[in-house]
Amino acid sequence: MIKEKDGIHISGEEKFVADSRKALGDVNIASHAHMDHAFQGDGKIVASDLTRRLLESRLERELELNEHPDVKLIDSGHILGSTAALIKTDDKRILYTGDVSTRNRAYIDGFDPVDADILITESTYGIPAYKFPEQEQIEENIKAWIERTESPFLFGYSLGKAQKIQWLAQKFTDKPLVAHGAVMKMNKVVEKHTDLNFNARPYGENKGLLENGEGIFIGPTRFAKSDALNKLVNASNGVKAGFSGWGMADQYKYRGGYDKVFPFSDHCGFNDLVEMVRKVDPEKVYTHHGFDSEFASYLKREEGINARALKENQASLTDF
Ligand SMILES: [Zn+2]
């Protein structure tokens, strides 16, 4: 039985629960350290070591890792530490992607799909409007824009997106990076456990650099419309850019108050999702998040695959 209810529940002889905020399964899997999925219960988790470290820093407590012979973790290319889980039951292999991107981006390698009988995938961008441009093109455009913009203010999710933006900005200019506290906090954990280094300066003490247009600002999206920030943007003739897959739709730019938007995403775009499903070549697909029903319908109609959306609290009896 497969069910979505504060995470994904896969019940056979043993109960596997992925990305639940509570500990509810015999085996609890944490795919990555974004707070919308974050494990906050008791007991051990099956996760990558980096996901554990990031979660510990965000939750401000220690977590214990667990291993399970029937669960194989595979890098899912979403953020540092993120993993998909390949779960072996008696006769089926179930692949749970967690949040996933198949694209190589900045410093991260995309997910390499593996064969499975049942695929449970996120479907955030599961409609054709979210066919992203080639990644190389997106990063070229970012480079050209950063090079010609005097005072750039960049916005993205503080864990994952913000580090990739900083990595690109560092590659494209010599200007010092000035990061908001939420981003600095995540930088610290990433720098401690990986080879990455962003050399960002804290925003609080370096507003002067921004005022004079000498630095590049990086902050979380929720900060883009704050008065304090807009003062600096005005003083430096700054330009604000948002980085998100939602940037494929015009509303994103206006709602976020951005001058410029790049569809740089940590998730699969529509085409990437279709391509991933073909490679996994499953007999059944369950979709969740975003355009779940739309994507399941598309797979049935266009790809002839048995697919359906997992709806909250609705159990799906599957053939295993
Ligand atoms: Zn995520």
Side-chain angles (χ1 to χ4, degrees):
M1 191 182 76
I2 294 177
K3 187 165 110 173
E4 178 170 22
K5 184 195 174 195
D6 181 28
I8 302 291
H9 298 227
I10 301 165
S11 317
E13 254 170 58
E14 265 183 305
K15 187 172 174 188
F16 298 90
V17 175
D19 292 330
S20 168
R21 278 159 289 196
K22 299 172 210 143
L24 296 164
D26 302 316
V27 183
N28 293 295
I29 301 168
S31 69
H32 68 290
H34 275 155
M35 290 313 274
D36 51 341
H37 305 272
F39 172 88
Q40 293 170 36
D42 297 318
K44 296 179 177 179
I45 50 167
V46 178
S48 72
D49 190 52
L50 190 51
T51 291
R52 185 249 299 240
R53 299 292 176 201
L54 292 166
L55 278 175
E56 283 181 337
S57 150
R58 306 197 89 175
L59 302 172
E60 296 177 345
R61 67 185 179 89
E62 288 186 5
L63 292 169
E64 248 187 289
L65 281 188
N66 196 7
E67 277 186 19
H68 191 284
D70 297 331
V71 180
K72 187 182 170 200
L73 299 179
I74 306 163
D75 282 350
S76 73
H78 172 56
I79 63 168
L80 287 166
S82 71
T83 52
L86 185 64
I87 301 164
K88 267 197 215 140
T89 64
D90 281 347
D91 55 346
K92 303 280 178 194
R93 295 159 303 168
I94 302 172
L95 177 63
Y96 168 69
T97 65
D99 284 353
V100 63
S101 171
T102 50
R103 296 173 166 228
N104 296 337
R105 305 165 334 277
Y107 52 76
I108 200 166
D109 289 334
F111 174 60
D112 219 348
V114 294
D115 284 353
D117 304 304
I118 296 169
L119 170 66
I120 306 170
T121 181
E122 61 124 323
S123 46
T124 306
Y125 295 118
I127 58 170
Y130 293 95
K131 279 182 197 169
F132 302 146
E134 292 294 327
Q135 189 63 24
E136 217 168 276
Q137 190 59 57
I138 295 172
E139 294 186 17
E140 273 299 311
N141 292 346
I142 294 170
K143 176 174 194 270
W145 181 80
I146 285 185
E147 282 174 350
R148 70 166 183 266
T149 302
E150 215 156 289
S151 178
F153 287 75
L154 317 177
F155 298 90
Y157 197 86
S158 59
L159 173 60
K161 191 68 63 61
Q163 284 74 37
K164 294 183 192 82
I165 301 171
Q166 290 172 95
W167 188 88
L168 291 173
Q170 254 185 338
K171 195 168 128 188
F172 301 150
T173 94
D174 294 331
K175 282 190 184 177
L177 302 178
V178 179
H180 183 272
V183 173
M184 286 299 286
K185 188 176 169 197
M186 291 300 112
N187 282 357
K188 252 189 218 160
V189 189
V190 170
E191 287 169 348
K192 191 172 161 198
H193 298 288
T194 70
D195 295 335
L196 293 167
N197 209 315
F198 307 104
N199 299 307
R201 306 175 191 204
Y203 162 73
E205 298 132 48
N206 291 282
K207 286 181 187 159
L209 279 177
L210 298 173
E211 234 163 10
N212 305 330
E214 288 165 17
I216 298 186
F217 175 82
I218 295 98
T221 44
R222 64 182 155 77
F223 196 59
K225 286 167 109 175
S226 77
D227 291 342
L229 181 101
N230 281 323
K231 253 187 218 164
L232 288 172
V233 173
N234 289 336
S236 64
N237 255 328
V239 188
K240 292 195 279 186
F243 294 72
S244 169
W246 297 116
M248 293 299 294
D250 287 340
Q251 308 95 286
Y252 181 80
K253 184 170 160 186
Y254 303 114
R255 238 188 295 126
Y258 301 120
D259 304 299
K260 178 81 187 160
V261 155
F262 295 99
F264 185 113
S265 181
D266 281 336
H267 295 263
C268 281
F270 176 74
N271 279 2
D272 309 328
L273 281 173
V274 173
E275 197 55 36
M276 177 182 72
V277 171
R278 286 179 186 158
K279 285 184 178 161
V280 174
D281 193 22
E283 58 197 48
K284 177 120 197 179
V285 177
Y286 292 101
T287 60
H288 64 102
H289 275 92
F291 294 103
D292 49 1
S293 303
E294 291 86 345
F295 189 56
S297 300
Y298 178 90
L299 289 177
K300 266 192 284 189
R301 201 176 60 240
E302 302 295 330
E303 302 282 319
I305 295 172
N306 186 355
R308 57 168 286 189
L310 279 178
K311 293 292 180 195
E312 190 94 5
N313 288 327
Q314 251 177 43
S316 292
L317 276 175
T318 188
D319 42 359
F320 73 94

